[in-house]
Amino acid sequence: MSDLVEVAGPAGMMFVPAWRVNPVAFTPEEQAEIRCRTFTGEQVAELSAEQVIETLAAARRIRAHTDAIEAHALARLDQLRGQDRYVADEAALELRVSRHTAA
């Protein structure tokens, strides 16, 4: 019987035979972001002070990346709508923010 290795994938954590796993080198920052995306409140409550700092930094990087994607998506929507004056209204409704913030 083969040894099983725990791996993270798009569907979550799974166990795969060790011979099927291709090692992928993640930076410490990438590892922290992967863990941060899967944490529950109970898991965060068990972290050490150092791990909490690492998690805060990872959460900030994830948020910055998400904000950048949102900004690109808003610009693309504006382009697709021909810079219609109601784009900000449409986006504000979806994002649950003010028209001014969406604009």
Side-chain angles (χ1 to χ4, degrees), residues 4-72:
L4 296 177
V5 178
E6 187 177 9
V7 295
M13 298 302 290
M14 61 186 148
F15 292 93
V16 178
W19 62 271
R20 297 280 299 176
V21 176
N22 293 325
V24 177
F26 290 107
T27 66
E29 291 82 13
E30 290 170 330
Q31 291 173 2
E33 289 174 22
I34 291 167
R35 284 191 307 274
C36 185
R37 291 176 194 273
T38 62
F39 275 151
T40 64
E42 292 81 20
Q43 290 170 314
V44 172
E46 297 173 4
L47 298 177
S48 69
E50 182 179 304
Q51 291 169 321
V52 169
I53 296 297
E54 183 180 82
T55 300
L56 289 170
R60 179 60 61 157
R61 286 190 303 272
I62 292 167
R63 186 176 306 117
H65 177 81
T66 303
D67 288 346
I69 295 298
E70 184 178 287
H72 285 287

Side-chain angles (χ1 to χ4, degrees), residues 74 77-78 81 83-103:
L74 285 167
L77 180 62
D78 190 47
R81 298 281 194 253
Q83 298 180 333
D84 184 80
R85 67 184 206 166
Y86 297 109
V87 169
D89 294 325
E90 182 180 5
L93 287 171
E94 184 63 32
L95 297 174
R96 295 181 176 95
V97 297
S98 70
R99 180 190 194 291
H100 178 72
T101 300

